[in-house]
Amino acid sequence: MSSPSAISRKLSKDFLWGFATASFQIEGSTDVDGRGKSIWDDFARTPGKTLDGKNGDLATDSYRLWKEDLDLLVSYGVKAYRFSISWSRIIPLGGRKDPVNEKGIQFYSNLIDALLAKGIVPFVTLHHWDLPQELHDRYGGWLNKGEVVQDYVNYAKICFQRFGDRVKYWLTFNEPWCIAVHGYGRGVFAPGRSSDRTRSAEGDSSREPWIVGHNLLLAHAHAVKLYREDFKPSQGGQIGITLNGDWTLPYDDSSENIAAAQQAMDAAIGWFADPVYLGHYPEYLKEMLGERLPELTPTELSVVLGSSDFYGMNTYTTNLCIAGGDNEFQGNVKYTFTRPDGTQLGTQAHCSWLQDYPQGFRQLLSYIWNRYRTPIYCTENGFAVKDENTKPVEEALSDHDRVQYFRGTTASLLAAAIEDGVDVRGYFAWSLLDNFEWADGYLTRFGVTYVDYETQNRYPKDSARFICQWFKENIEKDGPTEVEGIPVAASGLRAADAHLVHAVMA
């Protein structure tokens, strides 16, 4: 007979796991059934904006092949599927006075119905970077608080009205940091605004990202307010925001670099999480930006504070932090993967910004739990194998480095939940499919399923098999049990007095 501790080392039977995608990255069919343009359509078609010169017009053809993708999810045995809705399919011109596209609504309604029929929970993102182009042209998009907040809330309202009877998990935004910084600071994502005139004829990287971030917070908060007041009483769902942010470690044990690691967290995570969960911007952000950081008025703060039922966590890697530099988007901190002794933090991915360091995943979970005291859903986590795009399909399917990445992440997930008392309730690997990886085009592959872009055939990789088997083995099947005499539901209380501090890792 198994010992109680052996039985308890599993996730709750209610734990949601599955895979994630985003509308523009997989759907294609950009001019089909009344869809309007998003800011990514023409941006991706502009020479020099994607590494391979390709765009999202076809992607993985999932608007047409969604039933095949559903079959894939069923074969993997997932409990949930995180996908995003294209605002431009629902309201082609985007605005609150613009016509609604019934064909777009029908597409997502059919998908939701089919998921539920197969016992798969829809976990829906309302906005994954694809603002309707018309709203950018009409009034500046996310730069115009007076207009865009109202238009976004109207779009959200339509989704709540048409899908909310069946959708019980909503995400307002995916990674507002990326929208603001990459879209309006660095200029590498749509709409591509930047002070760098080699990238953009328009933009002010010193001010626009902070304005956009502020407006995204308000749009999120007002959509949540609407949902809670008008829809949650009858629909009973949950709503939150998903934020990107990777764990940071000091480069060495100097006080400057220890402080730098926290500055980086404040700039990446605290910028959005602190207002939502704590009611203010991080002090370091206010100190760094001064009057360039828009003020949260008392009226705005009353809507923003507490405007998320959970913490949506997108994370991929860990960075070593060195004090100094003028990169405000990283908190005036330099990132590196190279330790003082010259060794690398972990296995290098295809993209330069990602190495495998599973310990950081556990540490980040604990940091977020102890700082914000909010249930966590890991809404994205994944790895792009180096040069996978150049490998024949048979070789690409044996994705050892990605398997190792998920082996480490899942072990850290279990340890955080069971040993550290973190209230983590879901995990979505990125991504279900190889797909259009934004500015990287199709050169970077994050999928657990290989996509042959010539034929659109899908082939499961070893990583898909690993993840499916792991969750099959590590989720309770027979209801709640106990962890050393403490019910699972209450086990998070054991960490109530624990405060994770940045420490130098050997």
Side-chain angles (χ1 to χ4, degrees), residues 195-264:
S195 293
D196 182 348
R197 292 295 169 253
T198 66
R199 292 190 180 277
S200 174
E202 297 178 319
D204 180 354
S205 302
S206 70
R207 290 186 177 273
E208 288 188 2
W210 314 109
I211 294 169
V212 168
H214 191 82
N215 295 344
L216 288 164
L217 268 175
L218 295 176
H220 150 77
H222 281 282
V224 171
K225 183 174 186 291
L226 172 75
Y227 181 76
R228 287 174 172 171
E229 292 177 354
D230 293 359
F231 296 95
K232 187 168 184 171
S234 61
Q235 297 177 354
Q238 299 182 50
I239 188 166
I241 190 168
T242 202
L243 307 177
N244 61 291
D246 295 320
W247 184 236
T248 58
L249 292 170
Y251 179 70
D252 55 27
D253 61 0
S254 70
S255 58
E256 294 84 2
N257 291 335
I258 291 172
Q262 185 59 52
Q263 289 168 209

Side-chain angles (χ1 to χ4, degrees), residues 61-381:
D61 205 12
S62 289
Y63 185 79
R64 189 175 65 86
L65 300 177
W66 69 270
K67 291 181 180 177
E68 284 84 344
D69 292 343
L70 176 62
D71 289 342
L72 195 62
L73 290 165
V74 172
S75 72
Y76 288 162
V78 302
K79 292 183 69 173
Y81 175 46
R82 181 190 167 211
F83 65 94
S84 79
I85 293 174
S86 165
W87 187 343
S88 301
R89 288 202 195 278
I90 304 299
I91 311 172
L93 298 178
R96 55 197 181 276
K97 297 178 182 177
D98 295 320
V100 172
N101 178 30
E102 290 298 330
K103 287 186 177 179
I105 288 174
Q106 192 61 53
F107 170 74
Y108 294 109
S109 188
N110 290 344
L111 172 60
I112 291 164
D113 283 346
L115 287 167
L116 292 171
K118 298 294 186 179
I120 299 171
V121 175
F123 209 106
V124 179
T125 307
L126 288 168
H127 186 75
H128 198 125
W129 306 354
D130 48 354
L131 180 78
Q133 180 69 46
E134 174 64 21
L135 300 188
H136 179 75
D137 295 341
R138 190 181 290 176
Y139 54 68
W142 291 115
L143 288 166
N144 191 323
K145 178 171 72 173
E147 294 291 336
V148 76
V149 172
Q150 292 185 74
D151 283 343
Y152 174 79
V153 171
N154 173 70
Y155 157 63
K157 180 179 181 180
I158 291 168
C159 291
F160 300 150
Q161 288 173 332
R162 306 301 287 270
F163 311 127
D165 58 329
R166 291 157 290 162
V167 173
K168 304 306 174 188
Y169 296 91
W170 294 101
L171 291 168
T172 53
F173 288 97
N174 180 81
E175 300 182 347
W177 186 97
C178 289
I179 298 173
V181 169
H182 292 325
Y184 296 82
R186 294 173 176 161
V188 295
F189 284 3
R193 294 176 66 87
S194 174
S195 293
D196 182 348
R197 292 295 169 253
T198 66
R199 292 190 180 277
S200 174
E202 297 178 319
D204 180 354
S205 302
S206 70
R207 290 186 177 273
E208 288 188 2
W210 314 109
I211 294 169
V212 168
H214 191 82
N215 295 344
L216 288 164
L217 268 175
L218 295 176
H220 150 77
H222 281 282
V224 171
K225 183 174 186 291
L226 172 75
Y227 181 76
R228 287 174 172 171
E229 292 177 354
D230 293 359
F231 296 95
K232 187 168 184 171
S234 61
Q235 297 177 354
Q238 299 182 50
I239 188 166
I241 190 168
T242 202
L243 307 177
N244 61 291
D246 295 320
W247 184 236
T248 58
L249 292 170
Y251 179 70
D252 55 27
D253 61 0
S254 70
S255 58
E256 294 84 2
N257 291 335
I258 291 172
Q262 185 59 52
Q263 289 168 209
M265 295 295 282
D266 289 345
I269 290 176
W271 178 9
F272 296 96
D274 279 18
V276 169
Y277 302 105
L278 303 180
H280 53 75
Y281 282 121
E283 286 302 316
Y284 178 76
L285 209 63
K286 292 188 281 188
E287 173 188 321
M288 179 178 71
L289 298 174
E291 53 84 25
R292 288 184 291 133
L293 182 66
E295 181 185 358
L296 277 167
T297 68
T299 301
E300 291 173 342
L301 184 58
S302 69
V303 183
V304 171
L305 178 58
S307 60
S308 197
D309 295 333
F310 51 82
Y311 187 106
M313 182 180 102
N314 285 6
T315 191
Y316 288 83
T317 193
T318 294
N319 291 291
L320 295 169
C321 295
I322 302 172
D326 57 0
N327 189 333
E328 292 181 334
F329 307 134
Q330 293 173 192
N332 288 330
V333 169
K334 299 172 186 175
Y335 287 168
T336 184
F337 291 128
T338 305
R339 296 186 181 95
D341 65 4
T343 60
Q344 294 296 290
L345 200 60
T347 302
Q348 180 61 49
H350 186 75
C351 28
S352 62
W353 54 266
L354 172 54
Q355 285 193 1
D356 180 9
Y357 187 74
Q359 302 96 310
F361 183 79
R362 178 178 181 179
Q363 291 162 335
L364 181 62
L365 279 169
S366 290
Y367 174 88
I368 289 170
W369 171 243
N370 285 301
R371 186 175 179 90
Y372 301 120
R373 284 290 160 191
T374 304
I376 301 168
Y377 289 89
C378 181
T379 42
E380 276 184 36
N381 180 244

